[in-house]
Amino acid sequence: MSKIGKIIIVSTFLVSAITFYWVLFLIPIFLIGVLLVVFSKRTKTLSKVLWSVLPIILWYPVLFLFLFIFGSVGKATAQKIDFIFKEGKIFDKIELIDNMPCGQEIIIENGRQQVYIEPNIMTLYQGNFEYGYINHDYYFIRENGEKIKGVNKGFDVIFEMDSDFINENISVRFHGMSTTKLNSDIKYHSQTIFITNQNYTIKNTLSSFAMRDTTKLIIEECLNN
């Protein structure tokens, strides 16, 4: 009984630390393992306490360690992209569409793809956006070619601009990526970036339905040319 309980405790501890979104489902199984150890006549009292308490104390540090390792490895091996906003008008929501033959050519500098965000609601790109971990950096580029890199702060990237370029800080947030099929042969990935806290010649985006229809028309025109 004690051996089975210990196996259950170790298994649920490791699985919940690696895939923490399972933790609520694994708690009852973990408690069964604890009860098997506690009610075992062959296990000493100190050992029962340690097997019951230590997994709870160590769970968060081990979870944090796994997340750090997986995140570091994932980011190091992820697709590396620099998204570069051109000086000029920007929108509060920007769609990036990949696999477009009429889009921007693939430019690689220092192992990172350079994607220039056009001053409109949509940017077409010849390259492919990959799923999984992301390794994205964001820049604003002046007309003289000077780049200003955004600073990562939580989920947002902050641009702390000087007054001659912009009079208020800008917050950029990567919203996510989706896949859309036009037909059985053609599909594209769409990445969405939100711009907030801005006072920089901003134009409101189209509604979701208008955006979808506009995206479809632009893509069809690109593919048909």
Side-chain angles (χ1 to χ4, degrees):
M1 296 286 287
S2 175
K3 185 176 181 180
I4 295 175
K6 291 176 180 178
I7 292 174
I8 292 174
I9 290 173
V10 172
S11 300
T12 53
F13 174 81
L14 291 176
V15 172
S16 64
I18 296 174
T19 55
F20 62 90
Y21 47 85
W22 281 15
V23 64
L24 293 178
F25 303 100
L26 293 172
I27 287 177
I29 302 175
F30 170 77
L31 293 176
I32 292 173
V34 170
L35 291 175
L36 290 175
V37 172
V38 169
F39 289 105
S40 173
K41 295 181 180 179
R42 297 182 179 181
T43 306
K44 295 181 180 180
T45 302
L46 178 60
S47 180
K48 291 179 180 179
V49 173
L50 292 176
W51 277 98
S52 303
V53 176
L54 277 182
I56 299 174
I57 296 175
L58 295 176
W59 182 80
Y60 185 77
V62 173
L63 168 65
F64 185 81
L65 178 62
F66 275 123
L67 290 176
F68 176 78
I69 293 174
F70 290 152
S72 299
V73 174
K75 186 173 182 179
T77 57
Q79 183 183 35
K80 300 173 178 61
I81 303 178
D82 292 340
F83 292 109
I84 303 167
F85 297 89
K86 296 180 179 180
E87 188 170 10
K89 296 178 180 179
I90 60 174
F91 287 72
D92 57 2
K93 181 181 178 182
I94 298 168
E95 295 286 345
L96 307 168
I97 311 297
D98 71 354
N99 295 320
M100 293 293 108
C102 66
Q104 293 181 31
E105 295 183 356
I106 300 173
I107 301 173
I108 299 178
E109 294 182 5
N110 300 319
R112 303 184 65 88
Q113 296 184 46
Q114 308 293 297
V115 179
Y116 289 84
I117 308 299
E118 299 295 338
N120 50 43
I121 61 173
M122 193 173 302
T123 295
L124 304 182
Y125 183 55
Q126 292 184 9
N128 177 65
F129 297 134
E130 299 176 0
Y131 278 103
Y133 282 95
I134 61 174
N135 188 335
H136 296 171
D137 285 333
Y138 297 86
Y139 295 85
F140 268 89
I141 185 169
R142 298 177 186 270
E143 292 182 355
N144 62 8
E146 178 189 359
K147 287 183 180 179
I148 301 174
K149 184 177 180 179
V151 179
N152 288 297
K153 293 185 178 180
F155 292 104
D156 295 326
V157 177
I158 307 297
F159 290 91
E160 298 176 346
M161 306 298 192
D162 50 50
S163 58
D164 66 327
F165 183 41
I166 188 170
N167 56 12
E168 186 176 352
N169 292 345
I170 284 182
S171 173
V172 176
R173 174 173 292 190
F174 174 72
H175 182 66
M177 185 167 74
S178 61
T179 301
T180 302
K181 283 190 175 183
L182 292 179
N183 53 50
S184 59
D185 299 321
I186 300 175
K187 70 176 182 179
Y188 64 87
H189 300 122
S190 172
Q191 297 208 37
T192 305
I193 296 175
F194 284 110
I195 315 294
T196 59
N197 300 330
Q198 70 283 58
N199 183 15
Y200 183 52
T201 322
I202 298 301
K203 288 189 175 182
N204 293 326
T205 57
L206 301 174
S207 67
S208 298
F209 292 107
M211 187 78 171
R212 181 186 61 190
D213 293 339
T214 302
T215 300
K216 185 177 180 181
L217 289 173
I218 292 175
I219 290 174
E220 288 178 347
E221 182 180 352
C222 174
L223 295 175
N224 291 331
N225 288 338

